[in-house]
Amino acid sequence: MLFLRTDSKKVAFYTLGCKVNQYDSAAVAALFRKRGFEVVPFDEDADVYIVNTCTITATGDAKSRQVLRRARRKSDTAVVVAMGCYAQTDAGRVARTTGADLVFGTGDHHQIVDAVIDLLKVGRGNCERIRVRPVCEYDSFQDLFAEDALDRTRALVKIQDGCDQYCTYCKVPYARGRVRSRPLESVVEQVKLLVDTGYKEIVLIGTHLGLYGRDLSDKKSLASAAAAVAEIDGVYRVRFGSIECTEVTPELLDVMSSHGNICRHLHIPLQSGDDSVLRRMGRPYDTRTYLEAISAVRGRVEGCAISTDVMMGFPGETESEFKQSMRFVEECGFTRLHVFAYSRRPGTPAADAECQVARDVKARRVAEMAALGRDLSLRYHQTMIGRSFEVLVEDVTPDTDMAFGYTDTYVKVGVSSGRGAPARNTVVSVRVESADAECVYGVDEGDIGPV
């Protein structure tokens, strides 16, 4: 029998795409650590390179291939592994064109370590290369812990996977499969572990987070999960990932308003502010429904900040529809915009639609909407001047007295202090003195004490 010493082996990760991918990489890294591997930065020499791929846009596909080829060039002998959404939806091309030795999709991540060890033992050509199952076979949540969810003060906790919405432009349902939720007992267990290791802020994430619990026999919900996490001793903040406007329920707003450690911030994707475009996108709401949802948030959760995603250049988008989106975005008064151009994704209905918008037109519309987004952020930030906020410090700038962190409303704050920079992972009171579109700046009024 062949034995392999893994305590001398190194593994490196490169993650593209969303927070769910970040969590999946961290969970697989934890599995490698448990088997004796050392996790090192991707630019270092390693025995194993793992690339967690993204397919949300054509750029994500191309970058995924580029990074896999880069890993292959770094070493002829290292094991190169592709995993994630692009590997799930185009495994054959990934295997043919990138030099990856193993291809996993968005499931079966618990098998990656064994597959790598087998390959290291027996060599290429003796192992099954593509380990991707159809997404319809992923019928339960991959309950993997990510003890080192992120090397900072905010820890991602994935509680849901999959999406059944099938918007006409989106490949996510084809890459992630049906809705699967993590048992609440497992969520609580991981959060307690993270709090014990020093994390103060917990970010609940999922592919379609608002549908958490729909598939569980005990019919839990995002609201019940948030309440359970917020009530764990030592949790200073609970933050949500993205949530659809149709899933902002009275129950969720009740939980937010009754738990002081649930952040007053929601990211609610809009995609378009024009009803005709929303219908073509297959979005399950119109602008009136959206406006009613954010009005309910502001009515129940005082001071709640709302950010959003907006897509420009969806097939058939006219200039008047674009202008209507601009007007609606301004009416909503978002605190932050993520603006991006429509990307044609093979296999989705929108990819075959007539009237694809020209690239230069999309670029102009992205630029105009992004400029509006910066203006909205600046207006919001200026309302903070002269007021004090609790800031969880995440980064300290070397050799200066500046540190950076976030308020519960997800505003980035630059903090200065005559006493030197506040320490990372501490909570300080900051009096805001100035603002720009990206950040507000203030003076450290001192630690607020134990949190």
Side-chain angles (χ1 to χ4, degrees):
M1 181 179 294
L2 290 171
F3 291 92
L4 179 72
R5 283 193 56 180
T6 58
D7 57 354
S8 61
K9 298 294 184 182
K10 297 179 179 180
V11 58
F13 286 79
Y14 194 109
T15 303
L16 297 105
C18 64
K19 288 182 172 63
V20 171
N21 264 15
Q22 292 175 32
Y23 182 91
D24 289 345
S25 292
V28 174
L31 295 176
F32 272 94
R33 287 192 188 95
K34 288 178 181 177
R35 300 290 289 275
F37 286 77
E38 178 187 357
V39 179
V40 300
F42 195 78
D43 58 0
E44 292 188 12
D45 292 335
D47 303 284
V48 183
Y49 293 97
I50 298 182
V51 180
N52 198 346
T53 62
C54 175
T55 192
I56 196 71
T57 64
T59 300
D61 290 355
K63 184 66 181 292
S64 297
R65 294 191 298 269
Q66 178 186 30
V67 177
L68 284 162
R69 291 168 185 149
R70 173 180 152 199
R72 180 77 286 155
R73 289 194 300 270
K74 285 171 67 70
S75 172
D76 290 332
T77 59
V79 175
V80 176
V81 182
M83 60 180 280
C85 293
Y86 180 48
Q88 176 71 50
T89 58
D90 207 350
R93 184 176 184 184
V94 170
R96 288 193 311 272
T97 65
T98 67
D101 298 299
L102 294 168
V103 182
F104 282 80
T106 55
D108 299 327
H109 293 163
H110 59 287
Q111 298 177 6
I112 292 178
V113 181
D114 283 336
V116 166
I117 291 175
D118 288 345
L119 193 149
L120 287 169
K121 285 179 180 177
V122 303
R124 295 188 186 103
N126 297 303
C127 291
E128 180 185 359
R129 193 174 180 193
I130 297 178
R131 313 289 184 95
V132 177
R133 290 192 290 153
V135 290
C136 61
E137 296 182 12
Y138 299 150
D139 55 5
S140 60
F141 185 86
Q142 280 192 113
D143 202 348
L144 299 179
F145 277 36
E147 291 92 337
D148 298 303
L150 280 177
D151 184 22
R152 53 204 226 183
T153 56
R154 277 185 282 137
L156 303 178
V157 177
K158 179 181 168 184
I159 68 171
Q160 183 274 339
D161 207 342
C163 179
D164 300 337
Q165 192 159 283
Y166 288 93
C167 298
T168 62
Y169 55 83
C170 185
K171 286 185 72 174
V172 169
Y174 308 96
R176 286 282 172 178
R178 69 189 72 174
V179 171
R180 290 103 66 203
S181 302
R182 185 175 192 169
L184 186 54
E185 301 78 23
S186 175
V187 175
V188 170
E189 184 181 356
Q190 174 156 22
V191 171
K192 287 180 177 178
L193 176 64
L194 290 164
V195 170
D196 287 345
T197 59
Y199 286 96
K200 287 186 169 66
E201 183 172 310
I202 303 298
V203 186
L204 302 179
I205 62 169
T207 307
H208 195 148
L209 182 64
L211 294 185
Y212 173 80
R214 190 183 71 173
D215 57 313
L216 297 177
S217 59
D218 53 4
K219 300 301 179 184
K220 297 294 184 183
S221 65
L222 178 59
S224 57
V229 171
E231 290 163 12
I232 295 172
D233 288 343
V235 174
Y236 170 62
R237 280 181 184 167
V238 181
R239 194 179 294 282
F240 300 119
S242 178
I243 180 172
E244 298 286 354
C245 71
T246 53
E247 292 141 20
V248 180
T249 63
E251 180 192 12
L252 181 64
L253 297 181
D254 286 344
V255 169
M256 291 182 69
S257 62
S258 61
H259 291 75
N261 59 347
I262 296 182
C263 291
R264 297 171 302 147
H265 169 251
L266 289 175
H267 185 85
I268 308 176
L270 173 63
Q271 308 305 4
S272 176
D274 181 86
D275 287 335
S276 296
V277 177
L278 288 173
R279 284 193 295 273
R280 297 199 298 274
M281 287 179 168
R283 301 293 285 171
Y285 55 84
D286 56 18
T287 52
R288 179 178 177 180
T289 303
Y290 189 95
L291 200 57
E292 288 172 349
I294 65 173
S295 297
V297 172
R298 289 166 174 156
R300 292 286 288 117
V301 184
E302 184 178 358
C304 190
I306 299 174
S307 56
T308 199
D309 299 324
V310 190
M311 180 191 298
M312 298 290 96
F314 186 77
E317 182 186 61
T318 65
E319 194 66 19
S320 63
E321 289 169 341
F322 163 65
K323 294 299 184 184
Q324 172 57 29
S325 273
M326 292 279 286
R327 288 190 293 269
F328 187 75
V329 164
E330 183 151 22
E331 179 184 0
C332 290
F334 297 110
T335 60
R336 180 183 298 203
L337 296 187
H338 173 221
V339 186
F340 59 102
Y342 165 76
S343 180
R344 201 170 187 170
R345 310 308 299 126
T348 62
D352 298 325
E354 298 180 358
C355 302
Q356 297 286 328
V357 177
R359 182 178 299 181
D360 61 333
V361 174
K362 287 192 284 189
R364 173 180 60 79
R365 291 176 183 173
V366 166
E368 289 186 31
M369 184 65 80
L372 174 59
R374 288 190 294 273
D375 185 52
L376 291 172
S377 292
L378 177 60
R379 292 183 216 172
Y380 179 66
H381 292 170
Q382 287 174 334
T383 67
M384 300 170 68
I385 294 174
R387 300 163 59 197
S388 296
F389 299 87
E390 289 184 10
V391 174
L392 178 56
V393 177
E394 296 192 5
D395 298 298
V396 178
T397 306
D399 304 321
T400 74
D401 69 346
M402 286 295 296
F404 293 88
Y406 286 84
T407 65
D408 75 313
T409 53
Y410 205 54
V411 174
K412 188 175 183 179
V413 181
V415 189
S416 63
S417 170
R419 301 178 291 111
R424 183 177 174 273
N425 208 28
T426 60
V427 180
V428 295
S429 176
V430 178
R431 187 180 73 254
V432 175
E433 296 186 332
S434 62
D436 58 32
E438 302 298 326
C439 191
V440 300
Y441 304 88
V443 176
D444 174 12
E445 297 179 315
D447 294 350
I448 68 166
V451 294

